[in-house]
Amino acid sequence: MQNNQEIKTSGSFSFNKEERLCSQKVIEKLFAEGESFLTFPVKVVYLKTKLNTQLPVQAAFSVSKKSFKRAVRRNRIKRLMREAYRLNKHEFYQQLGDRQLAVFFIYVGKEMTNFAAIEGAFKKALKRLVKQLRDQAIEKAS
């Protein structure tokens, strides 16, 4: 557990196994009860929930097989999305506080794109996610 605490508080740029959303039950609950928004070309589905880890967020990434028939292209986009998340998650973690989230990132674009476009979309998406969580907290308080 000590190792997880260090990851949470430090500015670590890794994306460990504990940070990956793998639980089928949590994923089903995420799509059944979660909220979503679109920051083109990335759709974000999130749910504030209790996770089995000390980390604030568990994330998963997906690309449609219908849009990208070749696995090479799907895997490339998923790698780019994971990299964009990995590089920008430390700011996101700092703004979350003690909340825990399950987040699913879905690439909805129809064309291959470059890293700069995906990273820009992730920065916008993470800022919007923090804003929506703050707004929800304010609504609950009032």
Side-chain angles (χ1 to χ4, degrees):
M1 291 294 173
Q2 181 65 21
N3 192 15
N4 288 343
Q5 286 295 338
E6 290 174 15
I7 291 171
K8 181 178 178 182
T9 57
S10 71
S12 175
F13 284 100
S14 64
F15 186 61
N16 299 332
K17 173 76 172 157
E18 293 86 30
E19 294 177 273
R20 296 177 193 268
L21 181 59
C22 299
S23 169
Q24 197 65 36
K25 288 181 182 179
V26 175
I27 292 172
E28 287 173 5
K29 185 176 178 183
L30 173 66
F31 283 103
E33 302 173 16
E35 299 179 38
S36 66
F37 61 87
L38 181 69
T39 306
F40 192 81
V42 178
K43 180 179 180 178
V44 180
V45 182
Y46 67 96
L47 179 65
K48 189 175 173 185
T49 185
K50 179 74 178 123
L51 301 172
N52 296 336
T53 180
Q54 295 294 321
L55 296 167
V57 178
Q58 284 189 331
F61 304 87
S62 178
V63 179
S64 169
K65 193 172 186 177
K66 186 175 182 181
S67 299
F68 295 94
K69 305 279 189 222
R70 307 251 181 216
V72 172
R73 291 177 178 249
R74 287 195 307 274
N75 292 338
R76 168 89 175 140
I77 293 171
K78 284 190 277 189
R79 274 197 312 275
L80 293 175
M81 291 192 328
R82 281 193 301 266
E83 183 69 5
Y85 176 75
R86 184 185 71 82
L87 292 174
N88 295 294
K89 72 176 179 166
H90 63 282
E91 297 167 10
F92 179 53
Y93 280 14
Q94 290 172 353
Q95 295 174 353
L96 275 181
D98 61 347
R99 289 173 256 184
Q100 284 192 317
L101 292 175
V103 183
F104 211 100
F105 297 98
I106 304 167
Y107 187 84
V108 294
K110 303 289 183 198
E111 304 278 324
M112 285 293 290
T113 187
N114 59 6
F115 178 72
I118 290 177
E119 186 176 31
F122 264 83
K123 285 181 180 179
K124 286 180 191 174
L126 294 176
K127 284 180 185 175
R128 185 168 172 187
L129 184 52
V130 168
K131 183 180 182 306
Q132 285 191 354
L133 290 170
R134 283 192 183 144
D135 292 346
Q136 287 174 359
I138 291 169
E139 280 181 22
K140 277 189 176 180
S142 60

